[in-house]
Amino acid sequence: MSLQHDPRQNHLLAALALDEYKRLADNLERIELKLGDSLVESGQMMRHVYFPTDCIVSLLCVMEDGDSTEIGVVGGEGIVGISLFMGGETTPSRAIVQSAGTAYRLKGQLLKDEFYRAGPLQGLLLRYTQALLTQMAQTAVCNRHHSLDQQLCRWLLLSLDRLPTNELVMTQELIANMLGVRREGVTESAGKLQRAGLISYHRGRISILDRPGLEARVCECYGVVKKEYNRLLSYHRPGL
Amino acid sequence: MSLQHDPRQNHLLAALALDEYKRLADNLERIELKLGDSLVESGQMMRHVYFPTDCIVSLLCVMEDGDSTEIGVVGGEGIVGISLFMGGETTPSRAIVQSAGTAYRLKGQLLKDEFYRAGPLQGLLLRYTQALLTQMAQTAVCNRHHSLDQQLCRWLLLSLDRLPTNELVMTQELIANMLGVRREGVTESAGKLQRAGLISYHRGRISILDRPGLEARVCECYGVVKKEYNRLLSYHRPGL
DNA sequence: ACGCTTCCGTACGCTAACGTACACAGCATC
DNA sequence: GATGCTGTGTACGTTAGCGTACGGAAGCGT
């Protein structure tokens, strides 16, 4: 198995003890995800959970009129489909691929079986869920109190943390959907960042030029979330 | 034990099988909560979890500059202190009593012990957590897309659902804190509702006069959350 | 080379909510 | 019954973001 395509590039899978991982490994199905692919639809039963390695998935809350807002983002540190083991089976939100890449999927029932063994995986998934919860809470506050400029910075940094490169493929239209604002608003905020030399934007490709510069502009929300992820998920990799 | 003060007025405790409940019952400590009491402080270890019966607790996300936003509300249907069994032990948010009343508290370790028996209580708490998650997500969307008028309606209805009466004791100042807006904004929105004959406001006491009227004005967020709570937590009371 | 589509930039009036300021009415205290 | 505090109403200029509209540039297909 090449290092390029190891399921254990996903942090949750990486944190499992070897025997635990082995029980799942044969059932992990590698899958290539394209921008815009839908992994979870509102209210629909899921067949699988997804462990991203180098892709990013957005959790979106969509309203009747079609307006939407991103309530969380999942990358190699997490899993898509928590409602399976939380017991609800479905959620009222959607999960959309925000950055193309690879993920490994697992039949829902197999994850549930492993979860209810009440081994280390259970604690791991619960702590991850709590981290996600923090992310959602902070997003709610950020939506309320901070400027679009700051929110854009937060969004870029959260994405960047989950990407291997400094470039993300993403139109302003899509970012606007995620943040739940107008496309023109994103154009303006991104323009400021570009004029400040922090990013370079070109037809659906954003290159981050000055990450410290972004961090200087971002609101506290980014830091709070990141710190909580580190606190809850800074496990060692046993059995490696 | 008078019906007035039965811990099983809390829906989660009510949903337990009798033997499961009996293991906890002796350790449930009745406690009277006053408006403004703090049950959980950001980042601090909790000694207890709280099962409200007729009080309401707000989960608040507080920022460095003191601005805050409510990210969820807990009443007789829930529990305060989920981070104990989720494994994080602490959270970055606060829990403040929004409406005075009674709750039963339990030593954190005892709840964890029971949770890790992996019995029905575990599933119950996890489903409750998922419901709370939905509430937080919907709050984030609502903050973004809906007018203060609608959000006030949502807030009133969510509170009302958790109260035995039609009256809530709450100044506009406090509501403003919860919603993360100016006090004057609340005065204006509440004024509209009052002129429309839906509520009557008088120095920290709100009486709801026309609940259907509120429901007609509220945004979809209220319905989404309520539906999800019903779906996830509409259990029968076994062993009664 | 041409047209078409996608993506980005800009402009303008509009509105909800903000910050600030102040007035007044209930209620308690002394 | 003067004083003070708390809670509510109102007013006014300011601003961030909205809705809408339009123009242009980059890339794609033929």
PDB file of all heavy atoms in Angstrom, chain C residues 2-15:
ATOM      1  P    DC C   2     -12.982  36.631 -36.208  1.00  0.00           P
ATOM      2  OP1  DC C   2     -13.473  37.302 -37.417  1.00  0.00           O
ATOM      3  OP2  DC C   2     -12.230  37.373 -35.168  1.00  0.00           O
ATOM      4  O5'  DC C   2     -14.209  35.909 -35.491  1.00  0.00           O
ATOM      5  C5'  DC C   2     -14.986  34.959 -36.201  1.00  0.00           C
ATOM      6  C4'  DC C   2     -15.837  34.198 -35.223  1.00  0.00           C
ATOM      7  O4'  DC C   2     -15.002  33.287 -34.482  1.00  0.00           O
ATOM      8  C3'  DC C   2     -16.517  35.067 -34.168  1.00  0.00           C
ATOM      9  O3'  DC C   2     -17.861  35.331 -34.560  1.00  0.00           O
ATOM     10  C2'  DC C   2     -16.478  34.236 -32.885  1.00  0.00           C
ATOM     11  C1'  DC C   2     -15.639  33.018 -33.252  1.00  0.00           C
ATOM     12  N1   DC C   2     -14.567  32.697 -32.261  1.00  0.00           N
ATOM     13  C2   DC C   2     -14.655  31.523 -31.501  1.00  0.00           C
ATOM     14  O2   DC C   2     -15.623  30.780 -31.661  1.00  0.00           O
ATOM     15  N3   DC C   2     -13.677  31.240 -30.597  1.00  0.00           N
ATOM     16  C4   DC C   2     -12.649  32.082 -30.456  1.00  0.00           C
ATOM     17  N4   DC C   2     -11.707  31.765 -29.568  1.00  0.00           N
ATOM     18  C5   DC C   2     -12.541  33.284 -31.206  1.00  0.00           C
ATOM     19  C6   DC C   2     -13.523  33.559 -32.091  1.00  0.00           C
ATOM     20  P    DG C   3     -18.754  36.297 -33.605  1.00  0.00           P
ATOM     21  OP1  DG C   3     -19.817  36.850 -34.459  1.00  0.00           O
ATOM     22  OP2  DG C   3     -17.856  37.183 -32.843  1.00  0.00           O
ATOM     23  O5'  DG C   3     -19.410  35.256 -32.585  1.00  0.00           O
ATOM     24  C5'  DG C   3     -20.087  34.112 -33.095  1.00  0.00           C
ATOM     25  C4'  DG C   3     -20.341  33.128 -31.966  1.00  0.00           C
ATOM     26  O4'  DG C   3     -19.079  32.741 -31.362  1.00  0.00           O
ATOM     27  C3'  DG C   3     -21.204  33.686 -30.820  1.00  0.00           C
ATOM     28  O3'  DG C   3     -22.196  32.734 -30.502  1.00  0.00           O
ATOM     29  C2'  DG C   3     -20.218  33.881 -29.677  1.00  0.00           C
ATOM     30  C1'  DG C   3     -19.205  32.783 -29.954  1.00  0.00           C
ATOM     31  N9   DG C   3     -17.873  33.022 -29.406  1.00  0.00           N
ATOM     32  C8   DG C   3     -17.109  34.155 -29.545  1.00  0.00           C
ATOM     33  N7   DG C   3     -15.950  34.069 -28.946  1.00  0.00           N
ATOM     34  C5   DG C   3     -15.950  32.809 -28.380  1.00  0.00           C
ATOM     35  C6   DG C   3     -14.969  32.154 -27.589  1.00  0.00           C
ATOM     36  O6   DG C   3     -13.863  32.575 -27.251  1.00  0.00           O
ATOM     37  N1   DG C   3     -15.387  30.882 -27.206  1.00  0.00           N
ATOM     38  C2   DG C   3     -16.589  30.319 -27.538  1.00  0.00           C
ATOM     39  N2   DG C   3     -16.819  29.095 -27.077  1.00  0.00           N
ATOM     40  N3   DG C   3     -17.518  30.906 -28.261  1.00  0.00           N
ATOM     41  C4   DG C   3     -17.129  32.150 -28.647  1.00  0.00           C
ATOM     42  P    DC C   4     -23.341  33.100 -29.442  1.00  0.00           P
ATOM     43  OP1  DC C   4     -24.603  32.548 -29.957  1.00  0.00           O
ATOM     44  OP2  DC C   4     -23.223  34.528 -29.078  1.00  0.00           O
ATOM     45  O5'  DC C   4     -22.897  32.238 -28.180  1.00  0.00           O
ATOM     46  C5'  DC C   4     -22.581  30.858 -28.350  1.00  0.00           C
ATOM     47  C4'  DC C   4     -22.184  30.261 -27.013  1.00  0.00           C
ATOM     48  O4'  DC C   4     -20.792  30.558 -26.747  1.00  0.00           O
ATOM     49  C3'  DC C   4     -22.978  30.830 -25.834  1.00  0.00           C
ATOM     50  O3'  DC C   4     -23.473  29.770 -25.046  1.00  0.00           O
ATOM     51  C2'  DC C   4     -21.983  31.702 -25.086  1.00  0.00           C
ATOM     52  C1'  DC C   4     -20.640  31.081 -25.451  1.00  0.00           C
ATOM     53  N1   DC C   4     -19.528  32.058 -25.507  1.00  0.00           N
ATOM     54  C2   DC C   4     -18.314  31.751 -24.882  1.00  0.00           C
ATOM     55  O2   DC C   4     -18.195  30.665 -24.302  1.00  0.00           O
ATOM     56  N3   DC C   4     -17.300  32.647 -24.936  1.00  0.00           N
ATOM     57  C4   DC C   4     -17.471  33.818 -25.575  1.00  0.00           C
ATOM     58  N4   DC C   4     -16.444  34.654 -25.610  1.00  0.00           N
ATOM     59  C5   DC C   4     -18.706  34.147 -26.200  1.00  0.00           C
ATOM     60  C6   DC C   4     -19.697  33.254 -26.150  1.00  0.00           C
ATOM     61  P    DT C   5     -24.441  30.076 -23.800  1.00  0.00           P
ATOM     62  OP1  DT C   5     -25.518  29.074 -23.800  1.00  0.00           O
ATOM     63  OP2  DT C   5     -24.748  31.520 -23.770  1.00  0.00           O
ATOM     64  O5'  DT C   5     -23.469  29.757 -22.582  1.00  0.00           O
ATOM     65  C5'  DT C   5     -22.668  28.570 -22.628  1.00  0.00           C
ATOM     66  C4'  DT C   5     -21.623  28.630 -21.535  1.00  0.00           C
ATOM     67  O4'  DT C   5     -20.604  29.595 -21.885  1.00  0.00           O
ATOM     68  C3'  DT C   5     -22.173  29.054 -20.167  1.00  0.00           C
ATOM     69  O3'  DT C   5     -21.784  28.100 -19.203  1.00  0.00           O
ATOM     70  C2'  DT C   5     -21.557  30.432 -19.932  1.00  0.00           C
ATOM     71  C1'  DT C   5     -20.276  30.360 -20.742  1.00  0.00           C
ATOM     72  N1   DT C   5     -19.766  31.669 -21.221  1.00  0.00           N
ATOM     73  C2   DT C   5     -18.451  31.985 -20.997  1.00  0.00           C
ATOM     74  O2   DT C   5     -17.672  31.235 -20.425  1.00  0.00           O
ATOM     75  N3   DT C   5     -18.064  33.208 -21.489  1.00  0.00           N
ATOM     76  C4   DT C   5     -18.843  34.128 -22.139  1.00  0.00           C
ATOM     77  O4   DT C   5     -18.381  35.195 -22.522  1.00  0.00           O
ATOM     78  C5   DT C   5     -20.219  33.745 -22.325  1.00  0.00           C
ATOM     79  C7   DT C   5     -21.164  34.680 -23.028  1.00  0.00           C
ATOM     80  C6   DT C   5     -20.613  32.542 -21.871  1.00  0.00           C
ATOM     81  P    DT C   6     -22.281  28.194 -17.708  1.00  0.00           P
ATOM     82  OP1  DT C   6     -22.594  26.825 -17.270  1.00  0.00           O
ATOM     83  OP2  DT C   6     -23.283  29.272 -17.600  1.00  0.00           O
ATOM     84  O5'  DT C   6     -20.962  28.666 -16.953  1.00  0.00           O
ATOM     85  C5'  DT C   6     -19.739  27.974 -17.231  1.00  0.00           C
ATOM     86  C4'  DT C   6     -18.594  28.731 -16.616  1.00  0.00           C
ATOM     87  O4'  DT C   6     -18.357  29.956 -17.353  1.00  0.00           O
ATOM     88  C3'  DT C   6     -18.811  29.151 -15.163  1.00  0.00           C
ATOM     89  O3'  DT C   6     -17.636  28.827 -14.441  1.00  0.00           O
ATOM     90  C2'  DT C   6     -19.024  30.659 -15.246  1.00  0.00           C
ATOM     91  C1'  DT C   6     -18.177  31.019 -16.443  1.00  0.00           C
ATOM     92  N1   DT C   6     -18.553  32.257 -17.168  1.00  0.00           N
ATOM     93  C2   DT C   6     -17.572  33.168 -17.462  1.00  0.00           C
ATOM     94  O2   DT C   6     -16.403  33.011 -17.157  1.00  0.00           O
ATOM     95  N3   DT C   6     -18.012  34.280 -18.156  1.00  0.00           N
ATOM     96  C4   DT C   6     -19.302  34.557 -18.548  1.00  0.00           C
ATOM     97  O4   DT C   6     -19.572  35.585 -19.166  1.00  0.00           O
ATOM     98  C5   DT C   6     -20.283  33.557 -18.202  1.00  0.00           C
ATOM     99  C7   DT C   6     -21.719  33.763 -18.590  1.00  0.00           C
ATOM    100  C6   DT C   6     -19.870  32.471 -17.531  1.00  0.00           C
ATOM    101  P    DC C   7     -17.654  28.804 -12.864  1.00  0.00           P
ATOM    102  OP1  DC C   7     -16.765  27.707 -12.433  1.00  0.00           O
ATOM    103  OP2  DC C   7     -19.058  28.877 -12.405  1.00  0.00           O
ATOM    104  O5'  DC C   7     -16.936  30.176 -12.518  1.00  0.00           O
ATOM    105  C5'  DC C   7     -15.594  30.378 -12.970  1.00  0.00           C
ATOM    106  C4'  DC C   7     -15.251  31.836 -12.827  1.00  0.00           C
ATOM    107  O4'  DC C   7     -16.023  32.614 -13.751  1.00  0.00           O
ATOM    108  C3'  DC C   7     -15.522  32.432 -11.455  1.00  0.00           C
ATOM    109  O3'  DC C   7     -14.275  32.780 -10.873  1.00  0.00           O
ATOM    110  C2'  DC C   7     -16.409  33.649 -11.731  1.00  0.00           C
ATOM    111  C1'  DC C   7     -16.169  33.898 -13.220  1.00  0.00           C
ATOM    112  N1   DC C   7     -17.267  34.581 -13.952  1.00  0.00           N
ATOM    113  C2   DC C   7     -16.989  35.730 -14.695  1.00  0.00           C
ATOM    114  O2   DC C   7     -15.831  36.162 -14.716  1.00  0.00           O
ATOM    115  N3   DC C   7     -17.992  36.337 -15.366  1.00  0.00           N
ATOM    116  C4   DC C   7     -19.230  35.836 -15.320  1.00  0.00           C
ATOM    117  N4   DC C   7     -20.183  36.476 -16.012  1.00  0.00           N
ATOM    118  C5   DC C   7     -19.537  34.662 -14.573  1.00  0.00           C
ATOM    119  C6   DC C   7     -18.530  34.066 -13.903  1.00  0.00           C
ATOM    120  P    DC C   8     -14.217  33.393  -9.411  1.00  0.00           P
ATOM    121  OP1  DC C   8     -12.926  32.963  -8.847  1.00  0.00           O
ATOM    122  OP2  DC C   8     -15.478  33.140  -8.701  1.00  0.00           O
ATOM    123  O5'  DC C   8     -14.102  34.938  -9.734  1.00  0.00           O
ATOM    124  C5'  DC C   8     -13.000  35.390 -10.510  1.00  0.00           C
ATOM    125  C4'  DC C   8     -13.185  36.849 -10.865  1.00  0.00           C
ATOM    126  O4'  DC C   8     -14.389  37.005 -11.642  1.00  0.00           O
ATOM    127  C3'  DC C   8     -13.312  37.789  -9.676  1.00  0.00           C
ATOM    128  O3'  DC C   8     -12.241  38.715  -9.753  1.00  0.00           O
ATOM    129  C2'  DC C   8     -14.680  38.458  -9.858  1.00  0.00           C
ATOM    130  C1'  DC C   8     -14.949  38.256 -11.340  1.00  0.00           C
ATOM    131  N1   DC C   8     -16.374  38.200 -11.739  1.00  0.00           N
ATOM    132  C2   DC C   8     -16.865  39.165 -12.622  1.00  0.00           C
ATOM    133  O2   DC C   8     -16.093  40.030 -13.036  1.00  0.00           O
ATOM    134  N3   DC C   8     -18.171  39.108 -12.999  1.00  0.00           N
ATOM    135  C4   DC C   8     -18.966  38.138 -12.530  1.00  0.00           C
ATOM    136  N4   DC C   8     -20.244  38.115 -12.926  1.00  0.00           N
ATOM    137  C5   DC C   8     -18.472  37.144 -11.622  1.00  0.00           C
ATOM    138  C6   DC C   8     -17.183  37.208 -11.257  1.00  0.00           C
ATOM    139  P    DG C   9     -11.976  39.721  -8.582  1.00  0.00           P
ATOM    140  OP1  DG C   9     -10.523  39.973  -8.509  1.00  0.00           O
ATOM    141  OP2  DG C   9     -12.707  39.242  -7.396  1.00  0.00           O
ATOM    142  O5'  DG C   9     -12.679  41.038  -9.094  1.00  0.00           O
ATOM    143  C5'  DG C   9     -12.033  41.798 -10.103  1.00  0.00           C
ATOM    144  C4'  DG C   9     -12.930  42.946 -10.534  1.00  0.00           C
ATOM    145  O4'  DG C   9     -14.210  42.412 -10.942  1.00  0.00           O
ATOM    146  C3'  DG C   9     -13.234  43.958  -9.425  1.00  0.00           C
ATOM    147  O3'  DG C   9     -12.697  45.206  -9.834  1.00  0.00           O
ATOM    148  C2'  DG C   9     -14.764  43.983  -9.328  1.00  0.00           C
ATOM    149  C1'  DG C   9     -15.208  43.361 -10.634  1.00  0.00           C
ATOM    150  N9   DG C   9     -16.464  42.622 -10.576  1.00  0.00           N
ATOM    151  C8   DG C   9     -16.699  41.443  -9.908  1.00  0.00           C
ATOM    152  N7   DG C   9     -17.919  41.003 -10.057  1.00  0.00           N
ATOM    153  C5   DG C   9     -18.530  41.943 -10.869  1.00  0.00           C
ATOM    154  C6   DG C   9     -19.857  42.005 -11.371  1.00  0.00           C
ATOM    155  O6   DG C   9     -20.778  41.204 -11.182  1.00  0.00           O
ATOM    156  N1   DG C   9     -20.057  43.132 -12.166  1.00  0.00           N
ATOM    157  C2   DG C   9     -19.096  44.088 -12.439  1.00  0.00           C
ATOM    158  N2   DG C   9     -19.462  45.101 -13.218  1.00  0.00           N
ATOM    159  N3   DG C   9     -17.852  44.039 -11.975  1.00  0.00           N
ATOM    160  C4   DG C   9     -17.643  42.950 -11.200  1.00  0.00           C
ATOM    161  P    DT C  10     -12.679  46.422  -8.866  1.00  0.00           P
ATOM    162  OP1  DT C  10     -11.578  47.291  -9.293  1.00  0.00           O
ATOM    163  OP2  DT C  10     -12.748  45.895  -7.491  1.00  0.00           O
ATOM    164  O5'  DT C  10     -14.061  47.153  -9.172  1.00  0.00           O
ATOM    165  C5'  DT C  10     -14.407  47.442 -10.512  1.00  0.00           C
ATOM    166  C4'  DT C  10     -15.784  48.087 -10.570  1.00  0.00           C
ATOM    167  O4'  DT C  10     -16.811  47.055 -10.583  1.00  0.00           O
ATOM    168  C3'  DT C  10     -16.125  49.005  -9.395  1.00  0.00           C
ATOM    169  O3'  DT C  10     -16.590  50.232  -9.904  1.00  0.00           O
ATOM    170  C2'  DT C  10     -17.213  48.257  -8.652  1.00  0.00           C
ATOM    171  C1'  DT C  10     -17.882  47.508  -9.800  1.00  0.00           C
ATOM    172  N1   DT C  10     -18.681  46.326  -9.402  1.00  0.00           N
ATOM    173  C2   DT C  10     -19.951  46.198  -9.901  1.00  0.00           C
ATOM    174  O2   DT C  10     -20.459  47.017 -10.655  1.00  0.00           O
ATOM    175  N3   DT C  10     -20.620  45.076  -9.496  1.00  0.00           N
ATOM    176  C4   DT C  10     -20.147  44.094  -8.645  1.00  0.00           C
ATOM    177  O4   DT C  10     -20.847  43.128  -8.358  1.00  0.00           O
ATOM    178  C5   DT C  10     -18.812  44.279  -8.146  1.00  0.00           C
ATOM    179  C7   DT C  10     -18.195  43.287  -7.227  1.00  0.00           C
ATOM    180  C6   DT C  10     -18.147  45.380  -8.553  1.00  0.00           C
ATOM    181  P    DA C  11     -16.682  51.524  -8.957  1.00  0.00           P
ATOM    182  OP1  DA C  11     -15.518  52.402  -9.191  1.00  0.00           O
ATOM    183  OP2  DA C  11     -16.970  51.056  -7.593  1.00  0.00           O
ATOM    184  O5'  DA C  11     -17.975  52.234  -9.537  1.00  0.00           O
ATOM    185  C5'  DA C  11     -18.685  51.681 -10.637  1.00  0.00           C
ATOM    186  C4'  DA C  11     -20.170  51.775 -10.387  1.00  0.00           C
ATOM    187  O4'  DA C  11     -20.694  50.465 -10.045  1.00  0.00           O
ATOM    188  C3'  DA C  11     -20.564  52.711  -9.251  1.00  0.00           C
ATOM    189  O3'  DA C  11     -21.558  53.611  -9.712  1.00  0.00           O
ATOM    190  C2'  DA C  11     -21.121  51.777  -8.180  1.00  0.00           C
ATOM    191  C1'  DA C  11     -21.623  50.613  -9.005  1.00  0.00           C
ATOM    192  N9   DA C  11     -21.688  49.326  -8.295  1.00  0.00           N
ATOM    193  C8   DA C  11     -20.703  48.744  -7.536  1.00  0.00           C
ATOM    194  N7   DA C  11     -21.046  47.580  -7.035  1.00  0.00           N
ATOM    195  C5   DA C  11     -22.334  47.391  -7.483  1.00  0.00           C
ATOM    196  C6   DA C  11     -23.253  46.338  -7.286  1.00  0.00           C
ATOM    197  N6   DA C  11     -22.983  45.253  -6.565  1.00  0.00           N
ATOM    198  N1   DA C  11     -24.457  46.453  -7.879  1.00  0.00           N
ATOM    199  C2   DA C  11     -24.728  47.542  -8.606  1.00  0.00           C
ATOM    200  N3   DA C  11     -23.941  48.596  -8.861  1.00  0.00           N
ATOM    201  C4   DA C  11     -22.753  48.448  -8.260  1.00  0.00           C
ATOM    202  P    DC C  12     -22.000  54.864  -8.854  1.00  0.00           P
ATOM    203  OP1  DC C  12     -22.090  55.998  -9.791  1.00  0.00           O
ATOM    204  OP2  DC C  12     -21.158  54.938  -7.644  1.00  0.00           O
ATOM    205  O5'  DC C  12     -23.462  54.456  -8.408  1.00  0.00           O
ATOM    206  C5'  DC C  12     -24.423  53.995  -9.363  1.00  0.00           C
ATOM    207  C4'  DC C  12     -25.722  53.750  -8.627  1.00  0.00           C
ATOM    208  O4'  DC C  12     -25.739  52.385  -8.139  1.00  0.00           O
ATOM    209  C3'  DC C  12     -25.887  54.651  -7.410  1.00  0.00           C
ATOM    210  O3'  DC C  12     -27.233  55.072  -7.289  1.00  0.00           O
ATOM    211  C2'  DC C  12     -25.466  53.762  -6.265  1.00  0.00           C
ATOM    212  C1'  DC C  12     -25.964  52.398  -6.741  1.00  0.00           C
ATOM    213  N1   DC C  12     -25.252  51.250  -6.135  1.00  0.00           N
ATOM    214  C2   DC C  12     -25.898  50.015  -6.029  1.00  0.00           C
ATOM    215  O2   DC C  12     -27.047  49.906  -6.463  1.00  0.00           O
ATOM    216  N3   DC C  12     -25.244  48.978  -5.456  1.00  0.00           N
ATOM    217  C4   DC C  12     -24.011  49.141  -4.995  1.00  0.00           C
ATOM    218  N4   DC C  12     -23.412  48.097  -4.444  1.00  0.00           N
ATOM    219  C5   DC C  12     -23.332  50.391  -5.087  1.00  0.00           C
ATOM    220  C6   DC C  12     -23.983  51.412  -5.655  1.00  0.00           C
ATOM    221  P    DG C  13     -27.577  56.308  -6.346  1.00  0.00           P
ATOM    222  OP1  DG C  13     -27.805  57.482  -7.200  1.00  0.00           O
ATOM    223  OP2  DG C  13     -26.616  56.381  -5.227  1.00  0.00           O
ATOM    224  O5'  DG C  13     -28.977  55.834  -5.757  1.00  0.00           O
ATOM    225  C5'  DG C  13     -29.889  55.119  -6.586  1.00  0.00           C
ATOM    226  C4'  DG C  13     -30.604  54.068  -5.764  1.00  0.00           C
ATOM    227  O4'  DG C  13     -29.681  53.028  -5.371  1.00  0.00           O
ATOM    228  C3'  DG C  13     -31.217  54.606  -4.448  1.00  0.00           C
ATOM    229  O3'  DG C  13     -32.542  54.107  -4.339  1.00  0.00           O
ATOM    230  C2'  DG C  13     -30.278  54.071  -3.383  1.00  0.00           C
ATOM    231  C1'  DG C  13     -29.856  52.739  -4.007  1.00  0.00           C
ATOM    232  N9   DG C  13     -28.620  52.164  -3.481  1.00  0.00           N
ATOM    233  C8   DG C  13     -27.409  52.792  -3.318  1.00  0.00           C
ATOM    234  N7   DG C  13     -26.479  52.003  -2.831  1.00  0.00           N
ATOM    235  C5   DG C  13     -27.121  50.787  -2.667  1.00  0.00           C
ATOM    236  C6   DG C  13     -26.633  49.545  -2.166  1.00  0.00           C
ATOM    237  O6   DG C  13     -25.507  49.268  -1.779  1.00  0.00           O
ATOM    238  N1   DG C  13     -27.633  48.575  -2.166  1.00  0.00           N
ATOM    239  C2   DG C  13     -28.917  48.767  -2.574  1.00  0.00           C
ATOM    240  N2   DG C  13     -29.738  47.717  -2.490  1.00  0.00           N
ATOM    241  N3   DG C  13     -29.390  49.904  -3.045  1.00  0.00           N
ATOM    242  C4   DG C  13     -28.440  50.871  -3.056  1.00  0.00           C
ATOM    243  P    DC C  14     -33.394  54.337  -3.041  1.00  0.00           P
ATOM    244  OP1  DC C  14     -34.816  54.359  -3.442  1.00  0.00           O
ATOM    245  OP2  DC C  14     -32.810  55.445  -2.247  1.00  0.00           O
ATOM    246  O5'  DC C  14     -33.152  52.992  -2.227  1.00  0.00           O
ATOM    247  C5'  DC C  14     -33.560  51.743  -2.795  1.00  0.00           C
ATOM    248  C4'  DC C  14     -33.544  50.678  -1.722  1.00  0.00           C
ATOM    249  O4'  DC C  14     -32.170  50.333  -1.426  1.00  0.00           O
ATOM    250  C3'  DC C  14     -34.180  51.128  -0.398  1.00  0.00           C
ATOM    251  O3'  DC C  14     -35.094  50.130   0.032  1.00  0.00           O
ATOM    252  C2'  DC C  14     -32.991  51.295   0.550  1.00  0.00           C
ATOM    253  C1'  DC C  14     -31.970  50.321  -0.032  1.00  0.00           C
ATOM    254  N1   DC C  14     -30.539  50.694   0.201  1.00  0.00           N
ATOM    255  C2   DC C  14     -29.680  49.751   0.761  1.00  0.00           C
ATOM    256  O2   DC C  14     -30.112  48.632   1.058  1.00  0.00           O
ATOM    257  N3   DC C  14     -28.380  50.090   0.950  1.00  0.00           N
ATOM    258  C4   DC C  14     -27.946  51.304   0.620  1.00  0.00           C
ATOM    259  N4   DC C  14     -26.646  51.589   0.822  1.00  0.00           N
ATOM    260  C5   DC C  14     -28.810  52.284   0.056  1.00  0.00           C
ATOM    261  C6   DC C  14     -30.098  51.937  -0.135  1.00  0.00           C
ATOM    262  P    DT C  15     -36.087  50.465   1.261  1.00  0.00           P
ATOM    263  OP1  DT C  15     -37.416  49.936   0.947  1.00  0.00           O
ATOM    264  OP2  DT C  15     -35.894  51.881   1.664  1.00  0.00           O
ATOM    265  O5'  DT C  15     -35.463  49.553   2.390  1.00  0.00           O
ATOM    266  C5'  DT C  15     -35.163  48.191   2.080  1.00  0.00           C
ATOM    267  C4'  DT C  15     -34.437  47.561   3.247  1.00  0.00           C
ATOM    268  O4'  DT C  15     -33.055  47.992   3.254  1.00  0.00           O
ATOM    269  C3'  DT C  15     -34.997  47.938   4.617  1.00  0.00           C
ATOM    270  O3'  DT C  15     -35.079  46.752   5.383  1.00  0.00           O
ATOM    271  C2'  DT C  15     -33.973  48.916   5.186  1.00  0.00           C
ATOM    272  C1'  DT C  15     -32.694  48.396   4.556  1.00  0.00           C
ATOM    273  N1   DT C  15     -31.600  49.386   4.413  1.00  0.00           N
ATOM    274  C2   DT C  15     -30.315  48.998   4.680  1.00  0.00           C
ATOM    275  O2   DT C  15     -30.024  47.861   5.028  1.00  0.00           O
ATOM    276  N3   DT C  15     -29.366  49.966   4.512  1.00  0.00           N
ATOM    277  C4   DT C  15     -29.586  51.274   4.124  1.00  0.00           C
ATOM    278  O4   DT C  15     -28.660  52.060   4.011  1.00  0.00           O
ATOM    279  C5   DT C  15     -30.957  51.621   3.872  1.00  0.00           C
ATOM    280  C7   DT C  15     -31.300  53.015   3.445  1.00  0.00           C
ATOM    281  C6   DT C  15     -31.893  50.670   4.022  1.00  0.00           C
TER     282       DT C  15
END
